[in-house]
Amino acid sequence: MTRPITAVNDFVVKFANVNGSGSASANGLFVKAILRMGVPVGARNIFPSNIQGLPTWYEIRVSGQGWLGRRGGVDLMVAMNPQTWDRDVAEIEPGGYLFYDSTKPMPSSKFRDDVNVVGLPLTALCNAAYAEPSKRKILKNIIYLGALTFLLGIEREVVEALLAEEYAAKPALIPANIEALQIGFDHARDHLKPLGLKLRRTDKVGDRIFVDGNTAAGLGAVYGGATVCAWYPITPSTSLAEAFTAYCRKLRHDPETGEARYAIVQAEDEIASIGMVTGAGWNGARAFTCTSGPGVSLMQEFIGLSYFAEIPGVIFDVQRGGPSTGMPTRTQQSDILSAAYASHGDTKHVLLLPEGPNECFEFGALAFDLADRLQTMIFVMLDLDMGMNEWLIEPFRWDEERVLDRGKIMTAEMLEAGADFGRYKDVDGDGIPWRTLPATHPSKGSYFTRGTSRDPYARYSEEGAVYVDNMERLLRKFETAKSLVPPPIVRRAARKTSYGVIYYGSTSPAMDEALAGLEADGVAVDALRIRAFPFEGEIFEFIAAHDLVFVVEQNRDAQLRTLLINEGGVDPARLVKVLNYDGSPITARFIQTELAKGMGVPKTRAGEMVR
Amino acid sequence: MTYIAKPQFHHPSLKHNALGFTRRDYEGKVSTLCAGCGHDSISAAIVQACFEIDLEPHRLAKLSGIGCSSKTPDYFLGASHGFNTVHGRMPSVLTGANLANRSLIYLGVSGDGDSASIGLGQFAHAMRRGVNMTYIVENNGVYGLTKGQFSATADKGSKSKKGVVNSDSGIDMVGLALQLGATFVARSFSGDKDQLVPLIKAALTHKGAAFIDVLSPCIAFNNHKGSTKSFDWVREHNEAVNRLDVLMARMAVTASYEPGSLTEVTQHDGSVLLLRKVAEDYDPTDHAGAISYLQHAHAAGEIVTGLLYVDPEAEELHDALGTVKQPLNALSDEELVPPVAALAKINAGLR
């Protein structure tokens, strides 16, 4: 027998469940209880494109050190789904634990010699206690929660308090849940031994909040002054529009009349969504849509119009596995190129690349300032991992003094004072023209917006020189964008090194742990996190300053690397691809192993937090 | 070319409206369409209608898709902002513009190619949402800019200029608009300005989704024998069910009409639609009756024109959304950005 894994506040638990069985609520309570004990948790839902019946998993990283990405490997498998039994059992680390429903005997061939088997007659306990099928279904989950509470040393009062909060609106349900918890807890106490994996109260959570990126981005849009939301349901972006709706209902009604200071339309498709965003942006409202890769494909024509006719708008792209319908409920960073160069003709678009819910909130608000300032479509590139999973993050912050930047809008007073209005005229040398909103002035400042070529005064023209002049100005505008978008964040290794690593988006938490692991092994690598496209100079200086730069991404074709090579004229040989694109969030172990391999380091071990 | 502005001088005796504007103040740039194009007559009718209802030219926003008809917003209301969007997608852009500022008048101009094929979905959904707008389809049954292909409104059996017979059923935009919940539906003919101008006036003052299907023969590609969208064919088969006069609220009724022949409909803004009956028993406030009448007339080969349906009590999208009266694009930071204290409360709820 392999030695059982022992660890305090540092392990991975994975729940294997059946979709629609009510397990999500019990698993959520499990995570919240650990957080309430002051122990940081990274939790990820791995779910099917299905309402009921297919397998679903919930993977929980418990880390007193504060690692919130996926580590890789599973120390305790809570195997509640016979459909996936074999692969779930196979995933457990040697010395790890298998918790299962032992009501029906299982052949010994279904187990492994090198894992610790912990059986609880869950169905039998549940059926003995409850006669109604609905109760049996739901409370079974609470019974296993009770057993785990004992086995891992979770404070039982914490779970009970959480149950009371959870059912505060339906207090009649509280006693039944407390009872189910007790059934599981008591049975485990009387028949089983605590595991080698233990939870111990600490104070590492602080005032952090637990929230998903879609909620954060929806809230960011409220703070960013968005008034028009046009959207079409698509996984994994739907909850962003729903969050915006919920926050608007709370925060955006006229206190006196009760009327809405926002308009949300569920459009007939993604094309209509982006069309409405375009119309609203043209008319001076802050407008957005949220979608995923297939939606971005559908929106291509309008995105080109926005670029060429210079109309502000924001697209939240919550990326999923592509191409085509791909893996709708799995995560990827695979829309980078389709967003950056969206539409026909020569186009480039501003992308913001948040690393998690904090930046979803921050960039979600900033995107509207940038859209108005740059008069173009701004993409905020989330992904399913950060969009739909709750992450433990610093509380949201907002500067009370902050003023919305509405960009260059020419007013009636300016027109009256004799301003020379040319809608596409570069007056200030930054490539950004002035615009008027419809109905600004009775006789001055009107113009005709079109997707066809025109001169600086918005007059139709197909003359080559006029067209080229405008296209060059659009490039100048894109150059200006570099100074407005969030700069990259560089983290230097403890000593000078010729190795660098570039990453972005939801790779962040796994990267934090991988970098610490490398450092603990004495391997030095400088890191740069890209937060936006266009790429500013510092990114290329970083590449130039290192002999070899790893580019870590969650797609097959190394899309950001392609963009770096294309935009910066970088020698491809100096940018090494590190790619994870199986639909599951990237792990710290994967990154650490790949980087070590690339640098010729034989083996590394996990390390301490460096942040 | 469209950048050629019309000279501004005009005859001193030109009439002024209540706002002091002349008809010329509602004109746009010089049209680039074929000489004699029905679309130019519609542009002229729009100019006349806006002049007559004393509209401040800059308070209207004009939007279009792609095609001959969609070019026309450049040729009227030069003081208005215009937006020539993408093919078939004007309805969504107009909807978004309307959401941003509900205080303007929205005029969508499209063609049968733009609205009945690629844009059929957006046409349908803008109607069913009740977007407060006037939506004009300049309907000639043919793709002009690409030189003569059938459009989806071409009638089955109609012959192209090259002699090809259309085997697909024609889409009836009026029938669709009625089914989809448009609250003002009319059909007219570019060659009948007396009928068209009052219809546009009534549509512009209607609250809700107003649709006008204007048959507008294409003199270059669809004005030959065998076409059911030619000048001759439309004239011969045109059956007006009523004639309309629009009285703005402040005007007194001066003309006298035969008793019993007149229907009065008061619109949301107080304007009065005076309908003189032409067809016996046609009631333009009877939704189901209108649909039935139109089906029968279509089967008989008639092109029914006039104000076909109006719901003077109609609601529009903003009513459903419960939005503030003030345009959304004019809200201040204070009205948009919640206080920091609200964020603290949200943070507390996420622990």
Side-chain angles (χ1 to χ4, degrees):
Chain A
M1 178 68 202
T2 316
R3 213 165 64 88
I5 299 173
T6 57
V8 178
N9 293 353
D10 182 17
F11 50 88
V12 174
V13 183
K14 192 167 179 175
F15 292 87
N17 297 104
V18 178
N19 204 28
S21 67
S23 58
S25 147
N27 299 350
L29 287 165
F30 178 80
V31 163
K32 278 201 182 132
I34 299 172
L35 287 172
R36 289 277 173 96
M37 287 175 68
V39 183
V41 172
R44 285 173 175 78
N45 209 346
I46 301 152
F47 61 101
S49 180
N50 163 261
I51 307 292
Q52 203 173 51
L54 288 185
T56 177
W57 293 269
Y58 195 50
E59 189 181 295
I60 293 151
R61 174 66 196 281
V62 177
S63 173
Q65 288 167 295
W67 305 125
L68 299 172
R70 278 184 82 212
R71 181 197 70 184
V74 176
D75 302 315
L76 165 61
M77 178 67 74
V78 181
M80 292 294 143
N81 187 356
Q83 296 172 75
T84 57
W85 176 272
D86 291 344
R87 58 177 279 197
D88 292 338
V89 170
E91 230 182 300
I92 304 168
E93 296 280 297
Y97 302 84
L98 168 67
F99 178 88
Y100 80 112
D101 180 357
S102 61
T103 304
K104 281 186 186 164
M106 302 263 287
S108 61
S109 63
K110 285 288 179 188
F111 296 95
R112 271 169 54 186
D113 292 339
D114 61 344
V115 301
N116 306 284
V117 177
V118 185
L120 187 90
L122 191 53
T123 306
L125 288 172
C126 189
N127 290 358
Y130 306 104
E132 294 165 50
S134 64
K135 271 197 175 168
R136 283 182 173 175
K137 181 178 155 188
I138 299 299
L139 294 172
K140 192 171 165 183
N141 301 305
I142 302 298
I143 294 176
Y144 78 60
L145 178 63
L148 292 172
T149 301
F150 169 77
L151 292 168
L152 295 168
I154 299 174
E155 293 170 13
R156 186 167 158 184
E157 315 76 65
V158 170
V159 187
E160 287 173 351
L162 281 166
L163 278 170
E165 283 173 38
E166 179 94 352
Y167 296 106
K170 301 175 196 162
L173 296 175
I174 298 172
N177 276 278
I178 301 278
E179 185 196 31
L181 190 78
Q182 189 177 341
I183 293 171
F185 188 94
D186 290 352
H187 194 276
R189 185 194 55 205
D190 299 343
H191 300 91
L192 300 167
K193 277 189 305 187
L195 309 187
L197 310 174
K198 289 194 192 318
L199 282 161
R200 194 171 296 152
R201 182 171 277 279
T202 173
D203 56 356
K204 295 293 193 303
V205 171
D207 69 345
R208 279 188 278 183
I209 58 174
F210 196 56
V211 66
D212 63 87
N214 283 353
T215 299
L219 184 61
V222 175
Y223 275 84
T227 52
V228 175
C229 164
W231 67 291
Y232 186 74
I234 180 172
T235 304
S237 75
T238 305
S239 57
L240 200 162
E242 288 170 346
F244 180 72
T245 308
Y247 283 124
C248 277
R249 283 196 186 129
K250 275 191 201 145
L251 304 168
R252 275 279 193 80
H253 281 263
D254 185 312
E256 275 158 36
T257 63
E259 291 164 335
R261 289 171 175 157
Y262 60 91
I264 300 167
V265 175
Q266 185 187 318
E268 57 268 33
D269 55 33
E270 285 88 347
I271 301 174
S273 303
I274 195 69
M276 289 179 203
V277 169
T278 304
W282 173 75
N283 213 356
R286 298 193 149 198
F288 76 94
T289 188
C290 48
T291 189
S292 192
V296 173
S297 290
L298 285 164
M299 294 174 186
Q300 296 282 311
E301 190 178 18
F302 264 116
I303 296 166
L305 176 70
S306 154
Y307 178 78
F308 197 51
E310 297 178 71
I311 294 161
V314 173
I315 298 174
F316 291 95
D317 177 2
V318 190
Q319 299 166 90
R320 64 190 218 183
S324 189
T325 310
M327 295 201 288
T329 60
R330 305 299 156 109
T331 197
Q332 264 184 4
Q333 299 175 321
S334 53
D335 297 343
I336 301 297
L337 285 174
S338 88
Y341 296 138
S343 205
H344 56 274
D346 293 322
T347 57
K348 296 179 196 222
H349 310 284
V350 175
L351 314 184
L352 302 181
L353 305 166
E355 67 164 342
N358 273 122
E359 285 186 346
C360 288
F361 174 71
E362 213 176 290
F363 295 178
L366 174 69
F368 294 93
D369 280 357
L370 289 174
D372 272 358
R373 172 59 48 185
L374 293 163
Q375 298 172 26
T376 194
M377 200 63 76
I378 308 290
F379 284 88
V380 188
M381 307 297 286
L382 288 77
D383 62 24
L384 184 141
D385 183 21
M386 78 172 85
M388 290 189 71
N389 287 311
E390 290 168 308
W391 289 24
L392 186 66
I393 59 159
E394 292 301 318
F396 297 129
R397 291 183 212 290
W398 186 261
D399 175 6
E400 202 139 19
E401 303 300 308
R402 183 164 163 177
V403 175
L404 302 180
D405 175 11
R406 314 229 180 189
K408 297 185 189 180
I409 296 178
M410 199 168 271
T411 61
E413 294 71 37
M414 292 161 81
L415 290 164
E416 203 54 55
D420 172 30
F421 175 61
R423 174 64 185 96
Y424 298 108
K425 200 174 161 196
D426 186 3
V427 189
D428 308 311
D430 56 4
I432 307 171
W434 287 76
R435 64 177 180 141
T436 55
L437 301 182
T440 294
H441 189 280
S443 59
K444 298 182 170 79
S446 72
Y447 69 98
F448 199 65
T449 307
R450 43 163 65 96
T452 37
S453 179
R454 71 273 135 158
D455 72 6
Y457 289 90
R459 292 172 300 208
Y460 181 81
S461 170
E462 288 181 15
E463 271 184 56
V466 170
Y467 168 80
V468 169
D469 186 54
N470 186 54
M471 291 298 280
E472 291 295 321
R473 180 182 58 75
L474 287 170
L475 273 186
R476 280 202 301 283
K477 185 167 90 165
F478 205 62
E479 201 55 37
T480 300
K482 290 182 184 172
S483 62
L484 300 176
V485 298
I489 290 177
V490 179
R491 208 186 311 180
R492 301 268 170 215
R495 58 183 168 78
K496 201 169 158 41
T497 173
S498 58
Y499 292 111
V501 59
I502 287 177
Y503 65 103
Y504 61 100
S506 65
T507 299
S508 251
M511 180 61 74
D512 292 340
E513 185 173 356
L515 288 173
L518 290 165
E519 186 159 291
D521 276 353
V523 182
V525 54
D526 293 332
L528 178 141
R529 179 164 71 85
I530 292 182
R531 300 199 295 164
F533 175 69
F535 304 131
E536 61 149 284
E538 194 184 349
I539 294 168
F540 298 111
E541 285 162 21
F542 179 90
I543 295 171
H546 297 87
D547 295 339
L548 214 56
V549 176
F550 300 95
V551 185
V552 181
E553 303 190 55
Q554 304 192 48
N555 59 62
R556 185 192 70 178
D557 291 345
Q559 296 190 17
L560 189 92
R561 176 179 173 270
T562 304
L563 207 53
L564 285 166
I565 291 166
N566 196 41
E567 295 290 321
V570 182
D571 173 9
R574 302 193 31 242
L575 297 181
V576 182
K577 302 172 192 174
V578 177
L579 306 171
N580 166 80
Y581 65 96
D582 63 3
S584 297
I586 198 164
T587 66
R589 285 182 180 174
F590 171 79
I591 298 172
Q592 193 172 335
T593 307
E594 290 299 304
L595 263 54
K597 229 187 322 180
M599 292 183 280
V601 181
K603 86 182 198 332
T604 63
R605 58 187 161 79
E608 296 293 316
M609 185 87 161
V610 289
R611 277 227 241 203
Chain B
M1 298 304 288
T2 55
Y3 56 79
I4 301 175
K6 283 184 189 169
Q8 280 304 306
F9 60 87
H10 56 74
H11 197 275
S13 67
L14 212 55
K15 261 182 22 191
H16 291 75
N17 64 11
L19 299 175
F21 290 113
T22 72
R23 201 183 160 285
R24 298 296 314 272
D25 294 316
Y26 294 87
E27 289 178 352
K29 297 208 169 77
V30 175
S31 169
T32 62
L33 300 176
C34 307
C37 177
H39 296 357
D40 284 333
S41 310
I42 301 170
S43 295
I46 292 168
V47 166
Q48 188 67 28
C50 292
F51 169 76
E52 289 183 13
I53 62 169
D54 303 325
L55 185 90
E56 289 179 274
H58 72 293
R59 302 295 302 170
L60 182 140
K62 46 188 186 175
L63 295 100
S64 61
I66 295 291
C68 290
S69 53
S70 291
K71 288 180 162 201
T72 65
D74 208 12
Y75 315 146
F76 57 79
L77 292 170
S80 307
H81 275 63
F83 195 169
N84 195 181
T85 66
V86 295
H87 199 26
R89 318 298 183 198
M90 174 274 283
S92 65
V93 180
L94 189 152
T95 302
N98 186 306
L99 292 174
N101 183 356
R102 63 186 296 181
S103 74
L104 304 185
I105 307 283
Y106 291 90
L107 173 62
V109 176
S110 178
D112 42 306
D114 197 55
S115 278
S117 291
I118 185 169
L120 193 62
Q122 293 213 344
F123 167 81
H125 290 278
M127 291 302 157
R128 60 180 276 269
R129 279 191 191 101
V131 179
N132 192 8
M133 63 177 173
T134 297
Y135 192 124
I136 296 176
V137 165
E138 306 188 347
N139 185 355
N140 57 17
V142 75
Y143 285 85
L145 279 178
T146 52
K147 303 194 189 307
Q149 301 78 17
F150 284 121
S151 86
T153 63
D155 291 308
K156 193 169 187 170
S158 183
K159 206 184 270 182
S160 79
K161 199 174 177 183
K162 288 178 179 166
V164 180
V165 176
N166 179 32
S167 57
D168 299 347
S169 289
I171 289 175
D172 175 19
M173 302 293 283
V174 157
L176 277 181
L178 279 168
Q179 293 275 356
L180 292 163
T183 48
F184 179 107
V185 178
R187 187 187 278 131
S188 189
F189 172 40
S190 63
D192 188 350
K193 200 175 169 187
D194 290 344
Q195 183 190 46
L196 181 56
V197 172
L199 286 173
I200 296 172
K201 285 161 68 175
L204 288 171
T205 50
H206 176 75
K207 179 190 164 188
F211 173 66
I212 312 178
D213 178 29
V214 187
L215 293 162
S216 176
C218 172
I219 51 133
F221 297 106
N222 207 6
N223 198 26
H224 48 270
K225 205 169 159 53
S227 159
T228 58
K229 297 276 192 292
S230 67
F231 274 108
D232 287 347
W233 182 278
V234 176
R235 276 203 192 94
E236 283 159 23
H237 297 80
N238 185 348
E239 296 292 336
V241 288
N242 48 34
R243 301 301 286 190
L244 172 69
D245 284 314
V246 180
L247 301 179
M248 302 313 284
R250 60 189 167 278
M251 296 176 184
V253 181
T254 51
S256 59
Y257 299 93
E258 277 176 43
S261 68
L262 199 70
T263 309
E264 250 188 58
V265 179
T266 305
Q267 297 211 101
H268 183 264
D269 68 338
S271 59
V272 177
L273 309 182
L274 286 178
L275 285 152
R276 275 169 292 139
K277 280 186 183 173
V278 176
E280 278 298 309
D281 305 328
Y282 191 87
D283 176 6
T285 62
D286 174 5
H287 190 254
I291 291 174
S292 165
Y293 186 96
L294 288 165
Q295 292 282 346
H296 284 104
H298 182 74
E302 290 173 6
I303 301 169
V304 178
T305 60
L307 175 55
L308 306 174
Y309 176 68
V310 62
D311 172 6
E313 305 295 322
E315 296 225 314
E316 58 120 340
L317 180 57
H318 281 280
D319 296 323
L321 295 173
T323 36
V324 285
K325 301 287 174 289
Q326 201 185 353
L328 294 179
N329 71 355
L331 295 175
S332 65
D333 282 21
E334 293 67 41
E335 288 164 311
L336 294 176
V337 184
V340 169
L343 198 56
K345 216 170 136 190
I346 290 166
N347 281 327
L350 294 168
R351 288 190 181 111

